[in-house]
Amino acid sequence: LHAVMTLLHMVNCLALTFVPTWIIYTSKLMEHGDGWRLGIQAGVAYAITQLGQMILTATFVPSLETDAFDLSQECMKAFISLADVIGLHYLFQVKRTSHMAVLIGLAWATTESLLRRLIPLCIEARSMQFSWRHTLTALEANVSIVTHISFAVLVWLWIRRPQLRKDITIILVGQRFVFPIVTRFLAHAVPSVPVAAVAAEAALSGALATAAWGLFRDPARPADPAH
């Protein structure tokens, strides 16, 4: 019976992680003939970008002897993570609509979950010791969907609407630094309450999505005709 319960827990966590992605992809919002091809291309671009970031982090960010929170180290990692903008900028070199920007962000979030969450959930969620950490990991994947889509849309807006570039640059740089520093600080400050970091990330992600939507729908600035 316990084995069945752990199996169900694993299935629930996987469903909570990946089903929302599928729902968004199959929605009318994402109707696009070559959506799957663009999604694969975006996923490969994400994987290459992350590999580059891993190499840069291993080369330039010194490792600490302890697991303590270090602000300078987190800032260096955040600076390196700006490479995501380069990857997205490459994908937007071909003229894309805003729907395609959403699809690219969704593909990045999905690839992130496949690379970082799939194997841990399949292995650890079936362990004999139940832990809410796996459920939080699945919830974090949903927050990541909002974050990646918002980030991709902001990069798309930066390219397509030059008059917004100053505002968007501030938001993008702020997101790269604020998100990881706040969440990792909370993870170290209150390790006994892991939900605090996820809740903070969700709140910040909501703020990012609100900013992206506000800039996209700003009546004072003309919308792109191909959205």
Side-chain angles (χ1 to χ4, degrees), residues 1 6 17 28 40 56 64 66-67 70 77 96 100-102 106 110 117 119 121 132 136 144 155 161-162 212:
L1 179 60
T6 55
T17 300
K28 290 185 178 181
I40 292 175
L56 291 173
L64 300 177
T66 64
D67 193 35
D70 184 87
K77 291 179 181 179
R96 310 284 192 191
M100 294 180 186
V102 173
L106 183 66
T110 305
R117 301 184 179 96
I119 293 179
L121 285 176
W132 282 106
L136 291 176
S144 179
V155 174
R161 302 184 190 176

Side-chain angles (χ1 to χ4, degrees), residues 155-204:
V155 174
W156 177 82
L157 286 171
W158 190 94
I159 295 171
R160 302 301 293 274
R161 302 184 190 176
Q163 71 274 21
L164 296 175
R165 287 182 177 176
K166 181 179 179 180
D167 294 340
I168 293 174
T169 299
I170 295 173
I171 294 173
L172 292 178
V173 173
Q175 188 274 336
R176 290 287 98 170
F177 280 83
V178 173
F179 272 47
I181 290 176
V182 170
T183 55
R184 287 167 189 161
F185 172 77
L186 288 174
H188 284 83
V190 283
S192 60
V193 190
V195 70
V198 178
E201 187 174 356
L204 292 170

Side-chain angles (χ1 to χ4, degrees), residues 75-224:
C75 287
M76 292 178 67
K77 291 179 181 179
F79 180 78
I80 291 174
S81 72
L82 287 170
D84 286 346
V85 176
I86 299 175
L88 288 170
H89 192 276
Y90 166 77
L91 292 170
F92 291 134
Q93 289 304 298
V94 178
K95 188 174 182 180
R96 310 284 192 191
T97 66
S98 59
H99 287 182
M100 294 180 186
V102 173
L103 177 58
I104 288 172
L106 183 66
W108 276 50
T110 305
T111 307
E112 179 189 61
S113 290
L114 288 172
L115 295 177
R116 297 183 179 181
R117 301 184 179 96
L118 178 60
I119 293 179
L121 285 176
C122 287
I123 296 176
E124 296 176 9
R126 290 203 63 185
S127 64
M128 300 303 288
Q129 184 66 35
F130 175 83
S131 174
W132 282 106
R133 178 168 56 86
H134 309 117
T135 303
L136 291 176
T137 298
L139 291 174
E140 186 182 34
N142 287 267
V143 174
S144 179
I145 294 174
V146 178
T147 301
H148 281 297
I149 290 177
S150 301
F151 196 85
V153 169
L154 285 169
V155 174
W156 177 82
L157 286 171
W158 190 94
I159 295 171
R160 302 301 293 274
R161 302 184 190 176
Q163 71 274 21
L164 296 175
R165 287 182 177 176
K166 181 179 179 180
D167 294 340
I168 293 174
T169 299
I170 295 173
I171 294 173
L172 292 178
V173 173
Q175 188 274 336
R176 290 287 98 170
F177 280 83
V178 173
F179 272 47
I181 290 176
V182 170
T183 55
R184 287 167 189 161
F185 172 77
L186 288 174
H188 284 83
V190 283
S192 60
V193 190
V195 70
V198 178
E201 187 174 356
L204 292 170
S205 183
L208 182 69
T210 301
W213 178 251
L215 290 172
F216 179 76
R217 302 299 298 177
D218 189 344
R221 284 129 172 182
D224 187 272

